[in-house]
Structures are given as C-alpha cells and as structure tokens.
Amino acid sequence: MDHTTIPLIPIVLAIVLAGSIITFFLAPQAARRFALFVSLFPLAYGTWVLTQIPLAATAYDAAAMTDYIELPWIPAIGAAFTFGIDGISAPMVFLTGLTTTLVIWYSWGETNRTSQYLALMLLIQFAVIGVFTALDYFLFYIFWELVIIPMFFLILLWGGPNRRYAAVKFFAFTFVTSLIMLLGIMALYFQAGLGTFNMLEIAAVSPLLDTGVQTLIFAAFLIGFGAKMPLVPVHTWLPDAHVQAPTGGSVILAAVLLKMGAYGFLRAALPSVPEGFMELRTLVIVLALVSMVYTALVALAQRDIKSMIAYSSISHMGAAMLGFATLTHLGLVGGLYMMFAHGLISAALFMGAGIIQHHAGTRLIPELGGLAEKMPMATILILAAFLASLGLPGMAGFVAEILILLGTYEAFGFLLIVAVLAVPITAGYYLWAAKRTFFGAPTTRIDLSKVKDAAHYEYWPMFLLIALAVLFGVAPMILTGMMDTGSDLVLGAMDLDLAHPVQEVDA
Amino acid sequence: MNLPLAQWIRPEDFTWQPLVPEMLLLLGALVLPLVGLKLKGATGRRDMGRLTVIVLLGALVLVGWMMATGAYLDLEIQIAEYPALYEVTMFSQFLKVIFLFVAIVIALASIEYASAFRNPIEYYALLLLATTGMMVVASSRDLITLFIGIETASLSTYVLAGYAKNDRYSTEAGTKYFIIGALSSAIFLYGISLVYGITGSVRFEEIALAMGNGLGMDSIGLAAIVLILVGIGFKVSLVPFHMWAPDVYHGAPDTVAGFLSAGSKAMGFAAAFKILLVGMAAIKAQWDLILGILAVLTMTVANIIALRQTSMKRLLAYSSIAHAGYILIAVIVGTQYALAGGLYHLTTNAIMKGTSFIIIAALAAYAIGDRLTDYKGLRVRNPLLALTLAIMLLSLAGVPPFAGFASKFVLFSSAVYESFTEGHQWLLWLAIAAVVNSLISLFYYAKIIRYMFAETGTSTEPIKAPLATNIAILIGLVLIVLLGIWPQLVLGPAMEAAASLLP
C-alpha cells in the first residue's frame, strides 16, 4: 500500500475537534444537525480505511500502517504526532465513527442543554479516535486522558440521581490508574533509550530489555489498561458510571471506551514488553477468567437492567482479555472480534435500556412486566440485542466467542471448562430478564397505559446496530482478514517461542 | 573601584541598551505617580491601570524582541573596569518574560479591582517596582545584585499585600509578610556572608570555581547552604517555612495574591537556580538530599492540608506551596532537561495561578467570598469563568491535554531519567512521590469543579466580568490549552535558557 502524503488522520481529528467546538455554541436544533454532519466524516473515513489495510504486511513497522504520518511536535523530548492504522485499530476506528453517529441520532430527543451534550460527545469521539490511531506513547497518553474529562462532565451534568458520586469515582479510578500507566510509559521511554516515544521504534528494541524491568512496566500497563477494560478487581467504577450516565454516555462508554483498555494491551503493552507479559501471564489469565465468570454471576443478581448490562460488559471484556492471553492466532482474532462485536451489541443494549427508561419511567426489572404488548418494536429490538449478546449463532458475538474458546483450548486445554461456564450464565440472566420485563403478567407498579413504543430516532439506530451485528455474524471474513494480519504482526513483534503453547503454561 | 562618578554615567562606557526594559519600568514607577496626581475620579484610577499595562507591554515587547532576534544576548554589562554585575542571557530573558507577563495580566485585572482602593496610584508604582526587582534577580551575576533584586521586589510586595488598609486581614497579611520576609532576608544574608568567607567572592562563577577546587565541602559550607536554603525556603514557601503563605494569600488583595503566587515564586526559584545550580553546583552532594527531603515534605504536607481547606484562597495557597515542591525537582536533578522542565513549570504555574486569582478577584464584586461553598452553581452565573477556572484547576492537577500536564511530565520524567542513568536511585522515589501527590491534589481541585458545575448555589444572578479581566482570563485560557498541545513553544526556549545558565 502506498503511503499517501495527505495527513488524513490529523485532518479527520481536526474536523471532529473543530466540529465539537462549533457545536458547543450552536442553538439546539442546529447543533443536532451539525453534530450529525460532523460525525459523518470519521464514519466515512473509518469505513473507507477498512478497505485500505495491507493484508500482506509482515513486519511490525511503519509500512504495515495505513495513513502513517509523523509530524514534529515536541522535539525536546522526542514526542511527535505519529498516527497510523492497522488491522487492529481499523475496526475500532470504524466502530467509533459508527457508534458516535448513531448516538447523536439517538439523542435527537435530548432537550437538556443539547448543544453542550453533543459537543462533549464529539470531543469524546475526537479523543477516542486519537487513542486508536496514535502511534506515539506520549500522544497516546494525552488522548487517553483527554477521554476522561468530557466523560466526567457528561456523567456529572446529565447523569442520574447519584451522578456526583459516580462521576468522581469514574474520574478517580481512571485517573489514578492511568498515572501509574504513565510511570510505565516513562520507564519504557527511558529504558528503551531511543529518545523517541514512537511505539513502533520502541517495540523494535524494548523486547530485549531485562525481564524484571519488563515485568514492572507491564504491571503498570496492566493496572492502567485493566481499570479501563475493566478487569476485576478494578471494575467497580463501571456499574456506577453506567447506571448514572445518560443513555448516550453509557453507549459511548460501553461501545468505545472499554475497548481502549483492550486495545492498549495489544498496541502499547504486548509488543513492547512481551517478557513482562509472560511473567504475569498466569495473573492475567486468572483475572480474565474471574472477570468472565464472577461478573456474569453478579449480573444475574441485578435489579436494574442497565446495571445488568454493565456487568455483562465486564464479563465480555474479560473474554476478550482471555483471548489475548492465549497468544494464539485464534485467540487474538477472537479477542479483537469480541471488542468489535461487543461494541455493536452493547451500544444496542444500552439504547434499549434507555428506551425502557424513557417510556416506562424505570429500569428496575421487578417493577416491569408485560412490556411486549405496549412496546412491540422496542421489545423485538431489545430481545435481538439480548440474543446477540448471549452469543446466538449467526450474530457477531457468536463468532467472537467461538474463536476465543477455540483459542483457549489450543493454548490451555481444559481450562476451557472454566471459560465455558460463563456462557450458560450469560444466557440465564438475559433470558430471565427478558421474561420478567417483556412477558409475564402486566405490571401494576407503573401505569402501563401511558407507556408508548420507541420513537423513530430511538429504534432506527438500534435496528442498524442489530443489522450490522447480523452482517458481521454471517460474514466475519470482512474483518477477520485484517485482524489476522494485525495479530500476526503483534505476535511477530513479541517474538516469543510459542511452538508449544500448552507446555509453555504447564511449565 | 574608586572611579569618579562622572565616568559611571557616561553612556559610551557601557552597553546600556539591554537595560532599556528595566529602565522603562523604573521610569514608569517614578513618573506614573506624578501623572496619577493629575488623574481624577474613578476613570482616572482606571487610566492609571491602563498606563501601567502599556508600560509593561512596552517592556515585554523589548524583552521578547531581544529573545527572538538574539540581540544583546549573552552580554556582560560591564561598566568601565568594574567587573560585570549584570548579564543578559536566554535564561534571564525567559524569566523576564514570565515576570512581565504576570505583571501585565495582574495589571489588567487590577484596572477594575484596584479602582475600589481610595488611592491606587502607588499600587501600580509598587507593581512596576516589584517587577523591576524580579528582573534584576534574573539578570544578576553575583549574590549582592541578586539580594538587591530580591529586596526591591519583596519590599514592594510587602506594601502591596497590606494595600487594603481598611481590611484587617490585609493589614495582618502585610505585617506578617514583612516580618517573615525581613527575618528570611537576614538569614539569607548571613548565608551569603558565609559563602563570601569560604570562597572570598560573591560572584557566581568565582564561587563555582572556588567550590570546584574543594572549598565548601565542610561544616561551614554546610552551614552556609542551610542558611541560604532557609532563606530561599521562606521566599518560595517550602515546608516547614511555609506558615506565612496561607495567611498572606488569604489576607492580601486577590490580585496581589495572584502576583505573589505567580511572580514572586518564579523570582525565588530564579534565585535558587542561580545560587545552587551555578554557584554551588560543585558541592551538590552537600545539598541535594536535603532538598529532596524538603521537596517531598513540601508537596505531601501541602497537599494533605489542602484537602481540608474550606477557603478558596487558602486552598490555592497550599496548592502553590505544593507546586514549589514540584519545581524543586528541577534544582535537585539539575540537568539541562530538568531545568527546562522547571522553567516550563514556572511558566505554566504563573499562568494557572495568575488566572485563577484574577477570576477570584472578578467574583469578589459579586459577593462570592472566600468560602468554597460560595462557588456552588457558578456555571449558571458565568459559564466562561466557571469553565476557565475548571480548566486551570485541572491543569494544576496535571490532567492532559492542558499545559500543567506537559510541564509536570518534563519535570518528573527528568527525575526518572536521572534515576536510571546516574544511579541516583532515590530520585525515582522523588518522581513517584510527585506523581502520588498530583493524584492527591486532584481530589480538592475536583471538589471545586463539582461545586461549580453540579451543585446549585443560593443565587442565579448572572455575573458580568469587566472587559479587561475577560481579556486577561482569555489570554490565560488560550495559553494553557495552546502550551498543553504545543509544549515546544515554551519548551524550546526553556531548553536554550537552561543551556545558557548551566556551565
């Protein structure tokens, strides 16, 4: 693939940032239209870039990156505006563009300080695309932190009754852990001794560092990325943030922000400190399995639909982490596919929870019942999202799960049994929640006669997400090719002797 | 030495052109009060402020021009045979830009704020004199010139702190600041006399030469260092010499508190950089650990006390103390990169603190007092002020992408770097302490942001800030964002400045 000389990624980022600032000052109706228009740029770019990923790349370097660009920034410390997209980040950029556009569409009914709300959405999109495309540790960190501020205000100003607590908890958790990650970045920067923050250049030398140093650096990354994913035991901010956040914020949080953690592992941690990862691999596997199974059990006990979906998200991201920990092609591709599929499905799920909240006035499962008659369209879409999330074959979630489970078996053998435990539990809480919410005796706790079906701006985005979940369920090869190349490059950069992964773990 | 006086003032004997900015300020300080006598009423009082801004802007343009073109740079200003007391380098000019910038922003905010004083004429004259003193410190080549600069600035700020004569807190602040300042100057002077006793000189390069030859590595050297550190410690408010700062910041007029927190602090560090990194660099082993302990103590104590503050200005005072602890890292590490980080952080700290205090000053007219709870619901009353204050606080906490993060990053990473390369293992702990402290600080900054944005206050009456204040605030806002995403703008000159200072 020829490298274009046009800095496409910085241009897209600049458009979104400028759009965000302009939206802030517009009148509500104009702000909606303008924000939607601005969000089409990253969506168009994200879609186009899916077709541009060089599948034949063999080395983890600039040539493997689409639209790679390096612009001088802070020569004093060797930081630069380095951007690029490969098979790992392309689906994420597409996902970010897609969900932001749909969330802005979905938020057509938002009347509380609409312009500011949409401006913050675009600002988050700006930062997240920055995270997914930055190939410079310093730049990566700046974008990473920039995500926190608008999300903090989104929860603080538009959230539910307990929003202050949730917002501060979100801020504290993510900020504290990312500072630890910053220490890891500093250590990596100085240990590599190249005088550059370029991820690709550092990854070319840092795997040769002393194992002890690598372990410390990876531990710092594990804390930073683990909290964002989130992994048990640093997950407790997520249910609070989700329950209190406005629907749009929840969708972005689940669909895009959680992916940053998993993406960080693949981009910033694994290729640079493989030995450190190998040292802590057992811990990562245990954390991933606990995240999968324990949070699925916790989800079973939730009364609030949103809270249930939040725990389900943790469970799914745990599965993605398990996929990465296998260090097999199947596992890595499965993990990547899980990130993408969960992005589509969780966005639909949170939109569904928002519809129930909006029209029924509550999200508490015991207060609901018999909604199917009153809101048939919403019921169909939410049920479809439930099924997609529990891994129904034919939908994107299934592809991800089967790949991860296969990878797990390939790497760890019968440890698979623990991972598989999460599957029936997941099916359990979704089906149980569906039964109690939509079917069964009509509830008397709320006034069902006032409940209306979803508005068009609510169900169309959801429908599109479900449709895409089906598309990527039946045609996974659209993405698996580039994901395979991407994971190949990461494994190649790690340069580990994994001829016999099973024995590797046994030993 | 016994040159006839007439020979001293002959212009052809020395290059006087680089001194024009200082002369301009001095002239302004002497002439403006006379002009002020002619200006009557509230408009006249505001015109005083506008004239001051013009004088300062003129000086800033000159300094900036010298920096940009390199004119008169690296010049020792020699008067006849007498050894040079004064120099013009990137380092001195960099600091002068900070001082002048702070003075301009404070003067802009004072146009409205100080018009409430019965007689603001001397207020502006003292502001100009204080700035002149700071500029002398930045350019000094020996301890006596440095001391004169510090005293010029300090004596002016003592009066400024007590300028609201009818406010007993302000009077208390002025008195307390004067007593503590006089005491610390005496201690500092005693330290200077010991240095002179050891090395036989007060000139930085001669002290460096003598100490490089092994002088000063004894108990008398240690005594000199301790006395000088105590003197500087008072000036830049290091724990345990910080007790005066919260009272003075709290009592002094808001604009003056901003000037102390942004400008005087930078002057104290300019002195510390000169004395410790140039004069006493050879005996670093004598003082680096003492300073390391002081730095950790300063940031930790200040941040923990700040958590419990209910007064906005006291909270910012403790935040200011904590930042002194961070900047101290630059002295301890002492490399070019670290010093550049220190200068960078002095710049951002000056912007953040100056802007914050200006906002406080603008709010004071609307019965938003000193209590943190007064800030509840500020977003509704004036979104621009609330947003700017929030960004300043986030930047103070070191949240990207604002400039406070970038400068802290350079500063802290210099310690990390030294701990790896030179085997100074303990410097890593210094960096970790600084990072942990930044975290602690986030909680009290976040509390204010929460009050402003998420809580409802007792009043929803809109607040209108005066135009000049709005301009000053916008300058601060733009700079803090711009320097955050484009650190090179300051870091580049800061690296050159650091290179010009270090031998």
Side-chain angles (χ1 to χ4, degrees):
Chain A
M1 182 64 48
D2 283 329
H3 291 295
T4 52
T5 45
I6 310 164
L8 275 176
I9 300 170
I11 289 173
V12 170
L13 285 170
I15 291 174
V16 178
L17 181 62
S20 162
I21 294 169
I22 295 169
T23 306
F24 192 89
F25 295 104
L26 289 178
Q29 192 55 34
R32 285 189 195 107
R33 296 203 177 116
F34 185 72
L36 191 64
F37 171 71
V38 169
S39 73
L40 291 177
F41 283 93
L43 176 59
Y45 177 71
T47 318
W48 175 77
V49 88
L50 284 179
T51 64
Q52 301 296 311
I53 303 300
L55 295 179
T58 48
Y60 189 62
D61 59 14
M65 298 288 168
T66 304
D67 290 335
Y68 181 86
I69 185 122
E70 191 172 352
L71 302 167
W73 180 28
I74 321 174
I77 57 172
F81 283 119
T82 313
F83 296 100
I85 295 182
D86 67 355
I88 295 170
S89 43
M92 293 298 111
V93 174
F94 170 66
L95 183 68
T96 311
L98 180 74
T99 45
T100 310
T101 305
L102 293 182
V103 160
I104 291 172
W105 189 0
Y106 179 92
S107 304
W108 224 251
E110 178 70 53
T111 52
N112 179 11
R113 286 168 287 186
T114 318
S115 320
Q116 286 77 15
Y117 181 81
L118 295 173
L120 286 183
M121 284 287 174
L122 287 177
L123 191 58
I124 295 177
Q125 180 180 36
F126 165 75
V128 174
I129 293 182
V131 168
F132 288 143
T133 53
L135 290 175
D136 179 285
Y137 276 106
F138 195 80
L139 188 62
F140 176 82
Y141 183 77
I142 297 266
F143 280 122
W144 179 274
E145 291 284 87
L146 184 53
V147 173
I148 301 176
I149 301 166
M151 198 64 211
F152 170 74
F153 280 107
L154 211 55
I155 299 173
L156 191 65
L157 295 182
W158 284 270
N162 201 12
R163 58 186 188 271
R164 284 166 208 150
Y165 169 76
V168 172
K169 192 173 181 183
F170 164 76
F171 203 120
F173 258 79
T174 44
F175 193 76
V176 170
T177 48
S178 49
L179 268 183
I180 297 171
M181 176 180 106
L182 178 65
L183 282 180
I185 290 179
M186 275 194 211
L188 186 59
Y189 168 70
F190 289 122
Q191 287 289 332
L194 297 175
T196 174
F197 279 96
N198 191 308
M199 288 185 180
L200 303 173
E201 286 172 33
I202 287 180
V205 296
S206 61
L208 303 173
L209 291 175
D210 180 58
T211 308
V213 173
Q214 286 200 37
T215 311
L216 279 177
I217 296 173
F218 183 78
F221 283 144
L222 182 63
I223 293 169
F225 297 143
K228 203 77 161 192
M229 258 179 102
L231 287 175
V232 173
V234 278
H235 66 289
T236 59
W237 62 272
L238 183 77
D240 282 314
H242 265 314
V243 170
Q244 299 304 329
T247 303
S250 282
V251 172
I252 293 289
L253 188 57
V256 187
L257 262 59
L258 300 191
K259 310 302 173 293
M260 285 162 49
Y263 172 79
F265 272 109
L266 279 189
R267 173 69 75 216
L270 294 191
S272 299
V273 283
E275 298 282 342
F277 170 70
M278 292 313 287
E279 289 291 311
L280 295 176
R281 191 180 180 195
T282 319
L283 175 69
V284 173
I285 295 166
V286 170
L287 288 181
L289 284 173
V290 171
S291 295
M292 276 178 85
V293 180
Y294 164 73
T295 52
L297 286 168
V298 176
L300 204 53
Q302 296 306 307
R303 288 155 48 86
D304 185 330
I305 294 181
K306 234 179 164 182
S307 177
M308 178 189 85
I309 304 171
Y311 278 107
S312 142
S313 286
I314 306 175
S315 178
H316 282 102
M317 292 317 288
M321 192 67 225
L322 184 68
F324 298 155
T326 61
L327 291 180
T328 59
H329 285 278
L330 283 174
L332 251 69
V333 174
L336 281 167
Y337 216 83
M338 179 57 94
M339 285 160 65
F340 182 75
H342 179 259
L344 294 177
I345 296 163
S346 65
L349 285 169
F350 278 109
M351 285 180 183
I355 292 173
I356 294 177
Q357 161 80 38
H358 186 194
H359 294 281
T362 180
R363 296 185 310 254
L364 295 178
I365 299 172
E367 310 251 305
L368 298 166
L371 286 184
E373 259 178 61
K374 287 289 172 186
M375 34 195 336
M377 180 63 97
T379 304
I380 293 169
L381 288 172
I382 296 171
L383 278 184
F386 276 7
L387 292 174
S389 186
L390 64 82
L392 186 76
M395 297 177 95
F398 173 75
V399 180
E401 270 183 29
I402 198 76
L403 284 171
I404 291 172
L405 293 179
L406 287 173
T408 307
Y409 182 75
E410 189 186 341
F412 312 131
F414 285 101
L415 202 58
L416 174 69
I417 294 168
V418 184
V420 163
L421 268 181
V423 177
I425 305 175
T426 307
Y429 59 74
Y430 275 128
L431 294 178
W432 197 27
K435 176 181 157 283
R436 293 197 291 167
T437 309
F438 301 110
F439 308 109
T443 178
T444 52
R445 303 212 185 168
I446 55 170
D447 187 1
L448 269 182
S449 62
K450 284 190 183 155
V451 174
K452 288 199 213 60
D453 206 348
H456 63 90
Y457 56 76
E458 289 173 330
Y459 67 68
W460 270 113
M462 249 189 107
F463 174 77
L464 281 176
L465 285 168
I466 304 284
L468 283 172
V470 173
L471 172 69
F472 287 105
V474 294
M477 55 283 193
I478 302 172
L479 295 179
T480 44
M482 69 183 82
M483 285 176 175
D484 196 31
T485 314
S487 47
D488 247 352
L489 296 179
V490 169
L491 289 175
M494 290 176 75
D495 196 25
L496 295 167
D497 180 22
L498 287 177
H500 305 286
V502 183
Q503 279 120 22
E504 180 92 25
V505 166
D506 289 344
Chain B
M1 282 289 248
N2 51 357
L3 294 162
L5 193 61
Q7 210 176 325
W8 274 67
I9 46 173
R10 262 177 24 211
E12 61 268 28
D13 280 344
F14 70 103
T15 332
W16 51 273
Q17 290 90 336
L19 294 174
V20 169
E22 284 91 333
M23 290 173 181
L24 187 62
L25 290 196
L26 209 53
L27 200 68
L30 296 177
V31 172
L32 274 185
L34 299 178
V35 177
L37 289 175
K38 285 282 165 201
L39 300 169
K40 291 278 184 290
T43 331
R45 292 204 281 271
R46 294 197 181 95
D47 283 340
M48 269 301 288
R50 297 192 183 107
L51 285 174
T52 312
V53 172
I54 292 169
V55 170
L56 287 165
L57 261 180
L60 180 65
V61 168
L62 285 173
V63 172
W65 172 76
M66 282 158 75
M67 240 178 130
T69 59
Y72 303 113
L73 230 49
D74 297 318
L75 204 74
E76 297 170 6
I77 294 148
Q78 189 128 5
I79 304 171
E81 322 288 304
Y82 198 74
L85 303 171
Y86 211 75
E87 63 183 359
V88 175
T89 58
M90 272 305 271
F91 178 80
S92 72
Q93 302 311 85
F94 186 94
L95 280 160
K96 284 176 193 174
V97 169
I98 300 181
F99 299 145
L100 287 168
F101 169 79
V102 170
I104 288 172
V105 169
I106 296 294
L108 271 176
S110 299
I111 294 177
E112 202 57 47
Y113 186 84
S115 71
F117 295 140
R118 252 188 66 226
N119 178 8
I121 295 176
E122 289 92 355
Y123 175 90
Y124 290 110
L126 289 167
L127 192 66
L128 289 174
L129 268 182
T131 314
T132 317
M134 293 172 181
M135 289 167 74
V136 171
V137 172
S139 273
S140 62
R141 277 175 71 84
D142 67 322
L143 284 165
I144 300 298
T145 313
L146 181 117
F147 184 73
I148 290 172
I150 289 182
E151 283 304 284
T152 311
S154 299
L155 284 168
S156 313
T157 46
Y158 300 150
V159 185
L160 282 176
Y163 207 81
K165 270 180 288 192
N166 296 325
D167 177 0
R168 56 202 176 99
Y169 285 116
S170 175
T171 318
E172 183 206 336
T175 317
K176 191 172 257 179
Y177 190 28
F178 174 64
I179 293 172
I180 299 275
L183 177 72
S184 68
S185 291
I187 296 173
F188 183 65
L189 207 51
Y190 192 45
I192 291 181
S193 71
L194 283 186
V195 171
Y196 182 69
I198 296 167
T199 62
S201 175
V202 287
R203 292 159 55 73
F204 293 132
E205 70 258 44
E206 284 172 14
I207 295 172
L209 206 64
M211 290 193 165
N213 291 333
L215 289 173
M217 281 306 282
D218 48 15
S219 50
I220 300 180
L222 189 64
I225 285 163
V226 169
L227 289 171
I228 285 181
L229 284 188
V230 171
I232 292 178
F234 273 115
K235 296 286 177 211
V236 300
S237 66
L238 300 179
V239 173
F241 319 113
H242 67 289
M243 304 292 187
W244 61 274
D247 288 342
V248 171
Y249 287 23
H250 179 233
D254 300 337
T255 46
V256 175
F259 189 65
L260 293 180
S261 175
S264 298
K265 178 142 294 177
M267 175 194 73
F269 274 105
F273 292 153
K274 290 223 163 198
I275 298 174
L276 293 172
L277 292 182
V278 181
M280 303 189 167
I283 54 167
K284 189 161 184 273
Q286 284 258 50
W287 51 262
D288 62 352
L289 197 59
I290 305 178
L291 272 189
I293 293 165
L294 279 184
V296 174
L297 202 63
T298 301
M299 46 183 122
T300 314
V301 169
N303 276 320
I304 288 172
I305 297 180
L307 284 174
R308 300 289 297 168
Q309 293 304 309
T310 53
S311 145
M312 185 72 176
K313 280 162 79 184
R314 294 188 87 87
L315 186 145
L316 283 180
Y318 280 109
S319 144
S320 196
I321 299 171
H323 278 263
Y326 303 142
I327 301 171
L328 212 49
I329 293 176
V331 186
I332 299 162
V333 178
T335 56
Q336 186 201 355
Y337 179 64
L339 184 54
L343 290 171
Y344 187 17
H345 199 68
L346 278 178
T347 317
T348 54
N349 181 56
I351 302 170
M352 298 181 292
K353 283 281 157 48
T355 313
S356 305
F357 276 108
I358 293 172
I359 293 174
I360 292 172
L363 295 177
Y366 285 83
I368 291 194
D370 193 33
R371 276 171 300 142
L372 290 184
T373 44
D374 290 348
Y375 286 78
K376 284 186 178 176
L378 186 64
R379 180 183 60 79
V380 185
R381 304 185 65 183
N382 188 329
L384 175 72
L385 291 190
L387 182 72
T388 312
L389 188 53
I391 287 180
M392 292 304 147
L393 295 175
L394 287 173
S395 179
L396 279 170
V399 178
F402 306 116
F405 164 74
S407 55
K408 270 189 187 174
F409 182 90
V410 177
L411 204 50
F412 299 171
S413 65
S414 72
V416 176
Y417 182 67
E418 279 303 293
S419 76
F420 283 148
T421 52
E422 299 296 319
H424 290 109
Q425 202 81 60
W426 60 277
L427 285 176
L428 185 64
W429 292 104
L430 190 60
I432 290 173
V435 170
V436 170
N437 265 292
S438 297
L439 266 180
I440 300 174
S441 73
L442 183 69
F443 287 89
Y444 56 83
Y445 295 128
K447 186 164 73 181
I448 305 173
I449 296 176
R450 203 190 71 198
Y451 279 166
M452 291 193 295
F453 283 84
E455 314 244 342
T456 41
T458 46
S459 162
T460 53
E461 178 207 353
I463 291 173
K464 201 177 163 302
L467 175 69
T469 306
N470 270 334
I471 293 174
I473 289 169
L474 276 178
I475 293 174
L477 179 63
V478 167
L479 279 179
I480 221 68
V481 174
L482 185 69
L483 298 185
I485 53 178
W486 210 272
Q488 192 65 24
L489 283 180
V490 172
L491 197 51
M495 289 293 271
E496 285 180 47
S500 78
L501 179 75
L502 296 175

